[in-house]
């Protein structure tokens, strides 16, 4: 939630944005407009990557202000394709289900991710024996920020937590990073109570690998990471878990230019109208520019794999990665490959679906 008392209008958040291209004076001016409730160009051009929340080390959370102002101005209706896609995908296409195995087995919520990889959760040894809940009933709603609105997130967050609270467990593993992030932002701001501890997928994967360490086959690959916007929204630094997991699996983490604080977007939301222009062709061109920067950077620093925590990011970048000779993998794939000799998952790609061109 936006913390105005922590903002001294220094402008560093918008000056650091990789997409706006503002100098410090322009950044201060646009910040003033946002705070005073006047129209700012930021509301038209921001691609909702959330990074400015991390650029502000004073904890003011400027992206939370931006998305709130977008919602107030109704920009989600002008550029609603991301909203429409999320609603269709999460509430119409992804089926609801609860798979129970053993009473004491761990519980995982996979949100709508079965739609991206229908067989993964049923065929891989990694997920054998897990209790799994999935579908629109378990949609974290956090993604609606890419639909340029925060009202929908606040309105639906209680329902999301209620669904998870009904599961008979005191710990729930969240497959999608975006489902984990709200416990440190929106749900926390709303003081919603949970009767379980949220467990990040990476925490669980580390435990699985440690428990089965005798079966680990070191992968010996050079892996870049392309993390989702939700890691900038809130919660613990995911790099600590990634470094531990990579060490266990014999994966070399490729440090590169567009990484960590300088992390670049996957381009998915930009392509869906999340900024730049009302013109779809211009948005697609902008998305392609972002994707090329991301993949070329990984290639230049010698990566042969790129790991994702979000299936949307995978969908956006998989085709470009493969064209550049880089194997796209989800975090769970690295564990499947190492422990069970399974192949990386072929997820649905945004290109196949026509979301990007
Ligand atoms: S939100 Fe933070 S970084 Fe941005 S102007 Fe305010 S204090 Fe500076
Ligand atoms: S959310 Fe991302 S694109 Fe939007 S202003 Fe912040 S850093 Fe820039």
């Amino acid at each position: 939630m936006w913390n105005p008392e922590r903002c001294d209008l220094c402008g560093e958040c918008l000056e650091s944005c990789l997409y706006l291209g503002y100098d410090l004076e322009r950044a201060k001016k646009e910040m003033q407009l946002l705070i005073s409730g006047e129209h700012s160009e930021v509301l038209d051009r921001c691609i909702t990557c959330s990074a400015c929340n991390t650029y502000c080390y004073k904890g003011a959370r400027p992206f939370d202000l931006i998305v709130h102002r977008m919602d107030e101005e109704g920009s989600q209706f002008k550029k609603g394709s991301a909203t429409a896609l999320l609603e269709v995908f999460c509430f119409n296409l992804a089926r609801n289900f609860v798979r129970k195995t053993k009473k004491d087995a761990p519980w995982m919520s996979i949100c709508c991710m079965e739609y991206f990889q229908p067989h993964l959760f049923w065929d891989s040894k990694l997920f054998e024996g897990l209790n799994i809940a999935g579908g629109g009933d378990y949609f974290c709603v956090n993604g609606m920020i890419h639909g340029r609105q925060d009202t929908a997130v606040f309105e639906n967050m209680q329902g999301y937590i209620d669904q998870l609270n009904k599961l008979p467990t005191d710990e729930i593993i969240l497959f999608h990073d975006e489902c984990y992030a709200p416990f440190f932002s929106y749900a926390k701001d709303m003081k919603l109570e949970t009767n379980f501890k949220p467990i990040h997928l990476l925490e669980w994967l580390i435990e699985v690998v440690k428990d089965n360490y005798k079966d680990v086959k070191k992968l010996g690959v050079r892996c870049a990471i392309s993390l989702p916007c939700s890691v900038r929204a809130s919660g613990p630094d995911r790099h600590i878990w990634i470094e531990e997991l990579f060490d266990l699996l014999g994966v070399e983490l490729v440090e590169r230019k567009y990484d960590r604080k300088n992390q670049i977007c996957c381009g998915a939301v930009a392509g869906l109208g999340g900024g730049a222009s009302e013109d779809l062709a211009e948005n697609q061109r902008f998305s392609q520019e972002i994707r090329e920067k991301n993949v070329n950077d990984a290639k230049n620093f010698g990566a042969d794999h790129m790991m994702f925590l979000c299936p949307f990011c995978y969908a956006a970048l998989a085709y470009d990665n493969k064209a550049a000779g880089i194997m796209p993998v989800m975090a769970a794939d690295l564990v499947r490959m190492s422990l069970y000799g399974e192949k990386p998952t072929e997820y649905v790609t945004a290109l196949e679906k026509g979301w990007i061109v």
Side-chain angles (χ1 to χ4, degrees):
M1 205 176 274
W2 164 239
N3 289 315
E5 68 284 357
R6 296 201 180 178
C7 178
D8 61 7
L9 281 168
C10 69
E12 286 176 31
C13 50
L14 299 185
E15 187 200 22
S16 302
C17 172
L18 291 176
Y19 315 98
L20 294 172
Y22 292 161
D23 62 21
L24 191 59
E25 283 315 302
R26 176 76 189 273
K28 285 181 186 175
K29 185 178 153 235
E30 298 298 334
M31 202 62 206
Q32 181 66 64
L33 291 172
L34 288 168
I35 290 172
S36 64
E38 293 170 73
H39 182 73
S40 158
E41 184 196 61
V42 174
L43 301 174
D44 301 322
R45 294 187 51 215
C46 167
I47 64 166
T48 66
C49 80
S50 309
C52 44
N53 272 354
T54 60
Y55 300 150
C56 175
Y57 62 88
K58 292 153 200 163
R61 298 186 67 86
F63 174 66
D64 294 13
L65 169 66
I66 292 168
V67 75
H68 184 65
R69 291 292 328 284
M70 285 171 166
D71 199 333
E72 278 183 344
E73 283 203 352
S75 80
Q76 71 271 27
F77 300 114
K78 282 188 279 180
K79 299 179 174 180
S81 51
T83 308
L85 175 70
L86 279 167
E87 285 177 351
V88 169
F89 160 64
C90 294
F91 294 124
N92 297 348
L93 296 177
R95 69 178 180 126
N96 283 303
F97 71 93
V98 172
R99 180 184 86 180
K100 288 186 189 161
T101 54
K102 287 178 282 181
K103 186 167 174 281
D104 296 329
W107 276 88
M108 175 178 279
S109 171
I110 64 169
C111 185
C112 305
M113 298 312 150
E114 189 200 30
Y115 177 74
F116 278 93
Q117 216 316 324
H119 306 294
L120 173 66
F121 301 100
W122 311 101
D123 294 348
S124 171
K125 273 188 182 313
L126 180 62
F127 300 99
E128 258 179 29
L130 275 184
N131 295 319
I132 297 182
D137 286 355
Y138 301 92
F139 172 35
C140 62
V141 203
N142 199 52
M144 298 306 261
I145 58 170
H146 302 307
R148 312 168 81 76
Q149 52 188 306
D150 64 352
T151 308
V153 182
F154 282 119
E155 283 178 352
N156 289 292
M157 193 53 66
Q158 179 75 63
Y160 169 60
I161 300 293
D162 286 348
Q163 277 303 112
L164 292 177
N165 274 338
K166 284 184 205 161
L167 298 177
T169 177
D170 55 8
E171 286 191 348
I172 299 176
I173 306 152
L174 288 314
F175 180 80
H176 190 197
D177 192 276
E178 188 118 2
C179 299
Y180 176 81
F183 294 99
F184 302 89
S185 56
Y186 290 104
K188 189 175 169 198
D189 291 341
M190 294 171 72
K191 299 186 170 42
L192 300 183
E193 290 196 5
T194 61
N195 55 21
F196 60 90
K197 180 181 176 200
I199 306 290
H200 194 280
L201 176 73
L202 290 167
E203 291 181 273
W204 176 68
L205 291 175
I206 288 168
E207 288 312 307
V208 170
V209 175
K210 283 182 173 170
D211 288 347
N212 297 280
Y213 195 68
K214 64 177 177 14
D215 298 325
V216 165
K217 290 192 184 54
K218 300 284 182 180
L219 292 173
V221 299
R222 289 175 52 77
C223 192
I225 52 176
S226 189
L227 301 185
C229 33
S230 48
V231 309
R232 277 91 64 94
S234 49
D237 183 353
R238 315 304 195 259
H239 290 89
I240 294 166
W241 291 323
I242 290 169
E243 284 168 16
E244 183 174 0
L245 183 66
F246 278 21
D247 275 352
L248 289 165
L249 299 177
V251 173
E252 184 182 343
L253 176 60
V254 173
E255 301 284 355
R256 59 191 183 117
K257 176 181 169 189
Y258 290 125
D259 211 351
R260 301 191 186 256
K261 182 173 182 261
N262 207 25
Q263 172 188 316
I264 198 167
C265 184
C266 68
V269 178
L272 288 167
S277 174
E278 298 281 344
D279 176 359
L280 184 61
E282 172 54 22
N283 289 329
Q284 294 286 339
R285 188 209 59 74
F286 186 42
S287 167
Q288 189 178 20
E289 180 185 313
I290 295 170
R291 286 182 275 132
E292 279 176 7
K293 278 186 182 170
N294 193 332
V295 173
N296 290 344
D297 182 51
K299 189 76 184 164
N300 290 341
F301 281 81
D304 49 40
H305 284 62
M306 183 179 282
M307 187 201 83
F308 302 93
L309 291 178
C310 167
F312 274 105
C313 298
Y314 177 105
L317 287 170
Y319 183 85
D320 302 276
N321 267 317
K322 285 181 183 172
I326 296 174
M327 175 60 77
V329 289
M330 296 291 290
D333 287 337
L334 292 173
V335 175
R336 294 172 51 242
M337 290 155 66
S338 172
L339 286 184
Y340 311 116
E342 296 179 6
K343 291 191 177 135
T345 308
E346 290 286 336
Y347 281 76
V348 167
T349 73
L351 204 75
E352 290 162 356
K353 291 285 171 191
W355 300 336
I356 56 173
V357 295

